[in-house]
Amino acid sequence: MLYQVREWQRALLKPLTNAAHHVAQIASSPMNPWAYTTAGQHMYAGFELLHRLGKEYEKPAFNINSVQVNGKETAITERTAIKHAFCNLIEFVRDVPADVAKNSPTVMVCAPLSGHHSTLLRDTVRTLLQDHNVFITDWVDARMVPLSEGSFGLNDYIHYIQDFIRQLGGKVHLLSVCQPTVPVLAAVSLMASAGEPLPLSMTMMGGPIDTRQSPTEVNDLATERPLSWFQTNVIYTVPTKYPGYMRHVYPGFLQHAGFVAMNPGRHASSHWDYYLNLLKGDDEDTEQHRQFYDEYNAVLDLPAEFYLDTIQIVFQEHALPRGTWHVNGHRVAPEDIKNTGLLTIEGELDDISGPGQTKAALDLCSGIPNTDKKHYTAIGAGHYGIFSGRRWRELVYPEVRDFIASFEKKSAVPNVQTKTVEAKTKTNAVQSEKKNPAVAIHPSVPQVTAKTTAAAPDVKVEATPTQSKTVMAKPTTDVKTKETAIQPVAKAARPKAVIESKAAAVAQTAGKTEAKAKPIKVATPVKAALPAAAAAEAKTVEIKTADVVKPSRTAAEIKTETSAKQAAVKIDYAGMANVKKDNEVKK
């Protein structure tokens, strides 16, 4: 009901705030003679302040049109890289040469989902763009998400971060500011436990890793009351005018009221100074005031599930530092992170995340070597000073830039080593193939079976088939067989060594009747070299890779027997000529 009452209030005040704005414009117009009087200046300042106190603030734009890259003004284009129901991943594309973009580290800025829009980190992004490729998580106002998209809790936040990391690849650096330090550390911890590729480094700034260290008013507010109190008093449903009608949310206007209530005197003084600067005509200070409160007063609603999970897990149970946090049945174990750099940054005067709360991440990540962990305290900086303003640009950013650059260089070393190992492996494989050539059959002719005897390396193997085709076995390094080794078998009655293989027949040459094969290396030793005999009858040549019969006779005996067989086979060419002549006479 409170949300609906607030909407009625906004509807009632809108005409009044618009009228105040128009009166202020008339009172300050150069065409109005009263504008140069003291009364006219007070009228302008008063109505301008009334307009800004009562107006409704929409989400501002990043308005990052260009940055300095290597001393040159470079145009920036904003685009949506990944789109989800509750969050979009925004990429800021720099108009730089391809080699500059390729050699620049990629940084994913994890913006907080704590009431303000991601544009609160505008100065953070603009500064990072000087030396990095930058992405940022842009959370969607929960009142703008239809109820059909389902709920969104702290576990879903973790899954979103993991999905973005996987989409960007392994060579990415994470920079989380305030609230997201907890789910980001959980996301990386779960990925490490699962053996997934991890980011090169993590930079955590002003986050509530362990709120037991130096508790602040924000921490006290979350722990003084039970979770049921928050469910009853700060959770409301979205009114009918928004796409997320009936969704349970923690309204942004309540979060904003809580921020203002922490320092009411400072905000009252800031508005009074704005009124005085309008009277003096100090345009520079008044413009700075407008820019700050345009951002500060623009708030969004949080999903109720996410808000209550954060209160319970982060602030009341301290589940992360105590090691009792489980996500989908898996324990969040920061000690499993080993090959990722970790930089923690705190503000000396931070009144939202007290000193020591972010630094606690260094002890939780015990698996990371001390040489890869670092802590930095920004002297004189409050919560916003560590990521925005002069102290961020002059003190904090150089630390972040150098830390990211060091781990970007380290990531290139394993790649060089991997390429060297792969090159050596390929060289060894080629040399091994040259030493042990396999037998390949040319694929251009039909498949045949050949039979031959195993020969020593210095003996040529010849076979004379009856066909007029020539079958030639050629050595190659690219053959694949079902058998990977030649295994010896029992001795047969007739001594012979046979090699079998199903291979394709090769090159067909008309008019030739010789088949020559280069030596085949046999796994088992052969006692003597066996020359192949050219048979008069056509015999089928078979090559097998399974059976090898060990010969029992000497080479001399086999040679004698072969010579005798060759001598016995003689062709009587004169007799054949006489027979042919007799046949012609008869005809």
Side-chain angles (χ1 to χ4, degrees):
M1 185 63 181
L2 180 63
Y3 208 142
Q4 186 61 59
V5 171
R6 189 255 183 187
E7 289 300 312
W8 291 336
Q9 179 190 23
R10 303 302 307 170
L12 179 64
L13 289 177
K14 189 173 183 178
L16 298 178
T17 55
N18 289 338
H21 176 65
H22 292 303
V23 172
Q25 294 296 316
I26 294 173
S28 62
S29 174
M31 304 299 295
N32 183 6
W34 288 92
Y36 302 97
T37 64
T38 302
Q41 293 173 356
H42 279 279
M43 179 180 294
Y44 160 65
F47 279 100
E48 174 65 16
L49 180 60
L50 179 62
H51 164 66
R52 294 195 60 82
L53 290 176
K55 67 172 290 190
E56 185 172 5
Y57 292 85
E58 301 292 339
K59 177 186 176 182
F62 278 98
N63 288 329
I64 303 177
N65 300 318
S66 64
V67 296
Q68 289 283 332
V69 178
N70 297 329
K72 298 181 180 179
E73 195 71 18
T74 303
I76 302 296
T77 303
E78 180 182 336
R79 76 176 190 92
T80 302
I82 303 174
K83 189 172 183 179
H84 289 318
F86 289 88
C87 182
N88 299 321
L89 187 66
I90 305 297
E91 179 186 6
F92 297 89
V93 183
R94 303 182 298 171
D95 186 15
V96 295
D99 59 331
V100 175
K102 182 178 179 181
N103 296 327
S104 300
T106 299
V107 178
M108 186 177 85
V109 180
C110 301
L113 179 55
S114 56
H116 286 108
H117 294 279
S118 60
T119 51
L120 188 68
L121 305 183
R122 181 184 297 104
D123 198 19
T124 310
V125 173
R126 182 186 290 112
T127 308
L128 285 169
L129 280 170
Q130 298 174 9
D131 307 286
H132 309 86
N133 304 313
V134 181
F135 295 79
I136 189 171
T137 57
D138 187 29
W139 299 100
V140 179
D141 193 337
R143 67 183 179 183
M144 305 304 293
V145 181
L147 196 61
S148 60
E149 294 292 345
S151 60
F152 184 84
L154 186 57
N155 289 357
D156 299 299
Y157 191 115
I158 294 172
H159 297 326
Y160 270 39
I161 296 297
Q162 290 177 331
D163 179 61
F164 292 150
I165 294 173
R166 296 185 187 107
Q167 296 274 6
L168 295 179
K171 294 193 64 174
V172 63
H173 304 265
L174 303 183
L175 188 147
S176 53
V177 180
C178 191
Q179 169 267 326
T181 56
V182 175
V184 166
L185 183 56
V188 177
S189 300
L190 293 170
M191 294 178 70
S193 300
E196 295 187 54
L198 302 182
L200 299 180
S201 71
M202 297 184 295
T203 300
M204 299 186 172
M205 308 172 67
I209 299 295
D210 187 355
T211 57
R212 297 173 297 180
Q213 309 291 330
S214 305
T216 62
E217 291 185 17
V218 176
N219 308 144
D220 294 338
L221 177 64
T223 56
E224 287 175 353
R225 297 172 176 83
L227 188 65
S228 58
W229 183 90
F230 292 96
Q231 293 174 330
T232 304
N233 293 278
V234 301
I235 302 299
Y236 298 93
T237 56
V238 177
T240 56
K241 63 179 290 187
Y242 298 107
Y245 171 59
M246 292 301 294
R247 177 179 293 279
H248 291 278
V249 297
Y250 173 56
F253 66 85
L254 286 182
Q255 180 79 333
H256 177 262
F259 283 140
V260 174
M262 291 178 60
N263 295 288
R266 182 183 301 176
H267 291 285
S269 176
S270 178
H271 289 301
W272 176 249
D273 291 339
Y274 176 68
Y275 177 82
L276 295 179
N277 289 329
L278 288 173
L279 293 176
K280 293 186 296 183
D282 190 342
D283 294 336
E284 183 178 354
D285 287 345
T286 55
E287 185 60 29
Q288 290 181 356
H289 176 91
R290 291 191 187 101
Q291 290 179 359
F292 175 80
Y293 278 98
D294 283 349
E295 194 71 60
Y296 190 81
N297 293 336
V299 293
L300 53 77
D301 296 348
L302 278 63
E305 303 85 2
F306 171 79
Y307 175 77
L308 295 174
D309 286 346
T310 303
I311 292 293
Q312 181 180 11
I313 294 173
V314 178
F315 293 98
Q316 294 185 348
E317 296 180 353
H318 311 288
L320 178 60
R322 293 174 58 189
T324 59
W325 190 6
H326 289 77
V327 177
N328 296 336
H330 301 281
R331 189 179 76 86
V332 177
E335 64 272 13
D336 289 345
I337 306 174
K338 301 185 183 301
N339 298 318
T340 299
L342 177 59
L343 171 64
T344 57
I345 298 176
E346 294 179 345
E348 180 188 23
L349 306 178
D350 195 337
D351 56 353
I352 294 179
S353 296
Q357 293 188 9
T358 311
K359 188 178 179 180
L362 300 177
D363 295 330
L364 294 177
C365 299
S366 57
I368 301 178
N370 291 331
T371 55
D372 293 344
K373 295 188 290 188
K374 184 178 180 181
H375 177 74
Y376 177 76
T377 299
I379 305 300
H383 186 71
Y384 291 96
I386 60 177
F387 61 85
S388 180
R390 179 178 58 84
R391 287 186 176 87
W392 149 249
R393 293 188 295 269
E394 298 178 1
L395 301 178
V396 179
Y397 175 65
E399 296 287 336
V400 175
R401 178 193 59 209
D402 296 343
F403 187 80
I404 290 175
S406 64
F407 281 89
E408 185 73 15
K409 292 178 181 178
K410 285 184 180 181
S411 67
V413 176
N415 294 337
V416 175
Q417 293 177 349
T418 302
K419 291 180 180 179
T420 304
V421 171
E422 290 177 354
K424 289 182 178 179
T425 304
K426 291 181 179 179
T427 303
N428 294 337
V430 172
Q431 292 176 354
S432 176
E433 289 173 353
K434 289 181 178 180
K435 292 180 181 179
N436 302 286
V439 176
I441 306 299
H442 199 281
S444 62
V445 295
Q447 185 176 1
V448 298
T449 306
K451 183 176 182 180
T452 184
T453 55
D458 296 330
V459 180
K460 292 184 178 180
V461 180
E462 298 180 354
T464 308
T466 56
Q467 299 177 2
S468 62
K469 298 180 181 179
T470 301
V471 180
M472 182 176 295
K474 296 182 179 180
T476 182
T477 59
D478 225 60
V479 73
K480 294 182 179 179
T481 61
K482 295 183 179 179
E483 304 288 342
T484 57
I486 301 177
Q487 302 292 338
V489 298
K491 293 183 179 179
R494 182 178 179 181
K496 58 182 178 179
V498 182
I499 303 174
E500 291 187 358
S501 170
K502 285 185 179 180
V506 285
Q508 180 174 333
T509 308
K512 295 185 180 179
T513 58
E514 258 186 11
K516 295 185 180 180
K518 291 189 177 181
I520 303 174
K521 216 166 188 179
V522 184
T524 57
V526 181
K527 287 186 177 180
L530 302 178
E537 299 177 355
K539 295 184 179 180
T540 306
V541 183
E542 296 180 354
I543 300 177
K544 296 184 178 181
T545 59
D547 301 330
V548 177
V549 180
K550 189 175 180 181
S552 60
R553 296 180 297 171
T554 63
E557 294 174 352
I558 297 175
K559 185 175 182 180
T560 303
E561 181 181 343
T562 304
S563 299
K565 289 183 179 180
Q566 289 177 345
V569 180
K570 293 183 179 179
I571 301 175
D572 189 357
Y573 292 100
M576 292 175 63
N578 293 332
V579 172
K580 183 177 181 181
K581 189 174 182 180
D582 292 341
N583 291 336
E584 290 177 354
V585 171
K586 289 179 181 181
K587 290 181 180 179

